[in-house]
Amino acid sequence: KQEVTQIPAALSVPEGENLVLNCSFTDSAIYNLQWFRQDPGKGLTSLLLIQSSQREQTSGRLNASLDKSSGRSTLYIAASQPGDSATYLCALGSYGGSQGNLIFGKGTKLSVKP
Amino acid sequence: DAGVTQSPTHLIKTRGQQVTLRCSPKSGHDTVSWYQQALGQGPQFIFQYYEEEERQRGNFPDRFSGHQFPNYSSELNVNALLLGDSALYLCASSPYGGANVLTFGAGSRLTVL
């Protein structure tokens, strides 16, 4: 059974810092991996999608990497801003599972202080 | 483009009651998935609908049922509500075969007293 762990559970940093969020998973047979952002009481916004054949994806100040062999992904946020404060979730899509059936971690709650 | 629309946004029920949540998918999407997110947890997959049929189901009891209409909108029904059903219920839509590229709605917050 696939298990997804996100460390740390919460993180508080001053504005301008570069930071790394971690996601680990137990079964390397994944189809893809996504990072989502969730604001309090809101739905999820997809940030980056990495296919299993890819090593990383970049969007603006965000960079996500994937290492299937070690069961790890990282989300790098450069020059953090107060508007980055949210919960960040990683989610795995598996082979054999239908599209739309994602397995999520519990998330990392990020607070960026002005 | 209105994206994924869910209703109601908030509701309160008592134990034993039944609830129906509604979802309108993003324009051009024909597949709807439902997730339950308890406080402090990640979303958990409930089931997915395509062509008006349940295509895959997560580890949820039969009290959770759904429906998809010809216009691709969907309903989630929960019978015999338990306190533990209190959660944010998220609907996500995608084009079939869209490789897990989901668009999520803002969710329906259910509180069971």
Side-chain angles (χ1 to χ4, degrees):
Chain A
K1 176 187 174 185
Q2 179 73 272
E3 293 185 2
V4 182
T5 303
Q6 291 190 244
I7 295 173
L11 181 64
S12 182
V13 301
E15 181 177 5
E17 268 203 12
N18 302 324
L19 56 100
V20 174
L21 307 182
N22 297 292
C23 173
S24 61
F25 45 94
T26 54
D27 186 348
S28 62
I30 64 171
Y31 186 66
N32 55 31
L33 183 146
Q34 292 184 73
W35 283 92
F36 290 88
R37 169 186 172 135
Q38 185 173 31
D39 292 287
K42 304 295 185 182
L44 280 62
T45 300
S46 181
L47 299 173
L48 291 165
L49 169 66
I50 310 176
Q51 300 295 345
S52 62
S53 59
Q54 298 175 320
R55 295 299 300 270
E56 66 177 335
Q57 283 286 340
T58 298
S59 176
R61 294 183 294 108
L62 305 179
N63 175 274
S65 67
L66 173 62
D67 183 345
K68 286 199 306 178
S69 62
S70 65
R72 291 183 178 179
S73 175
T74 61
L75 178 66
Y76 175 82
I77 303 177
S80 59
Q81 303 171 358
D84 295 330
S85 297
T87 296
Y88 291 80
L89 296 148
C90 72
L92 306 182
S94 299
Y95 286 104
S98 71
Q99 58 125 21
N101 180 356
L102 300 180
I103 301 172
F104 283 83
K106 293 184 179 181
T108 294
K109 185 175 182 179
L110 173 65
S111 176
V112 181
K113 305 296 186 183
Chain B
D1 184 0
V4 176
T5 304
Q6 292 188 243
S7 64
T9 54
H10 296 83
L11 68 167
I12 300 173
K13 295 286 187 177
T14 57
R15 283 178 295 175
Q17 285 190 314
Q18 178 265 344
V19 67
T20 298
L21 308 178
R22 296 176 176 82
C23 172
S24 294
K26 180 178 179 178
S27 177
H29 288 183
D30 55 7
T31 303
V32 173
S33 301
W34 287 92
Y35 287 81
Q36 180 195 65
Q37 186 178 24
L39 197 63
Q41 303 294 313
Q44 286 194 293
F45 176 75
I46 303 175
F47 44 52
Q48 182 189 71
Y49 277 83
Y50 171 67
E51 290 188 329
E52 302 179 47
E53 290 188 10
E54 182 182 296
R55 297 293 175 164
Q56 193 169 51
R57 188 179 185 92
N59 188 26
F60 280 80
D62 292 344
R63 297 186 298 107
F64 289 77
S65 63
H67 188 78
Q68 186 180 35
F69 299 93
N71 66 352
Y72 309 125
S73 66
S74 177
E75 289 182 349
L76 164 65
N77 300 292
V78 187
N79 294 322
L81 285 167
L82 304 174
L83 296 179
D85 295 332
S86 295
L88 181 67
Y89 288 85
L90 296 164
C91 171
S93 72
S94 58
Y96 190 74
N100 297 323
V101 180
L102 304 179
T103 299
F104 280 83
S108 294
R109 171 72 65 185
L110 171 65
T111 301
V112 182
L113 302 177

